[in-house]
Amino acid sequence: RRARDRVQEAGGGEGARVCHRGAAVKVYIAGASQEIERAERAIHLARVAAFEIAFDWPAQVREVGDANPADASDGQRRAWADALLTGVDGCHAFWLLAPAAPTIGAWIEFGRALARGKYTLVSGRGESIFLASALESAADDETGLAMLCAYRQRCSAGGAL
């Protein structure tokens, strides 16, 4: 089904989830920190395709040395979590790399994006029923990037999803 049909089925009507209009589409790419190389690759490809990255969480993990260091203070954890959620809140499109590895953060971010009414895309396969909540889904990350580009094209044409 087309994303527009899914928005209408979910109670959205004309003008629901209208695309971002502007020079750049800002995307947040979420995934499991145990699959950091996959996320780094998706972020790199999105940048090459001229998307603005809302927050580069793998760079933060690399800088800190771990997604959740055992010796981190509550204040540090709060600051890192706030940066992640600010990235989700500030994006136009949210792309979840369906995690094969255990993760909590990616699911929290995905839920936040859904609650904020963001355009949501999932690539890859997983076991969670919540993956079906995304507006669009792709079998793999390469197709996911192509779908993200198609979203931007629809936006530049001035339409809704």
Side-chain angles (χ1 to χ4, degrees):
R1 287 182 314 211
R2 295 182 50 213
R4 184 180 323 226
D5 298 332
R6 292 176 69 188
V7 168
Q8 294 206 345
E9 286 174 9
E14 195 63 35
R17 294 198 179 157
V18 173
C19 291
H20 162 71
R21 291 186 182 99
V25 172
K26 191 182 296 186
V27 63
Y28 187 97
I29 301 173
S33 60
Q34 291 181 31
E35 300 171 337
I36 195 167
E37 293 85 7
R38 180 181 176 203
E40 289 170 327
R41 180 176 182 274
I43 288 170
H44 170 75
L45 293 174
R47 282 189 171 125
V48 168
F51 287 94
E52 183 180 341
I53 303 303
F55 186 74
D56 187 343
W57 64 267
Q60 175 179 282
V61 170
R62 296 280 190 203
E63 181 181 321
V64 171
D66 191 70
N68 187 14
D71 61 345
S73 69
D74 286 347
Q76 289 173 306
R77 287 188 174 98
R78 189 175 311 105
W80 296 327
D82 286 348
L84 296 168
L85 295 177
T86 298
V88 173
D89 291 346
C91 74
H92 306 112
F94 181 92
W95 180 9
L96 174 63
L97 308 174
T103 182
I104 295 171
W107 292 115
I108 290 171
E109 295 159 353
F110 183 52
R112 178 84 163 226
L114 290 170
R116 300 275 195 228
K118 304 293 182 180
Y119 164 81
T120 51
L121 165 68
V122 172
S123 62
R125 297 287 176 242
E127 299 298 318
S128 175
I129 61 172
F130 292 103
L131 292 173
S133 300
L135 287 173
E136 296 191 288
S137 61
D140 55 51
D141 297 343
E142 290 74 19
T143 305
L145 179 62
M147 293 176 83
L148 193 61
C149 290
Y151 164 78
R152 179 176 55 200
Q153 183 64 33
R154 291 190 304 271
C155 292
S156 67
L161 294 176

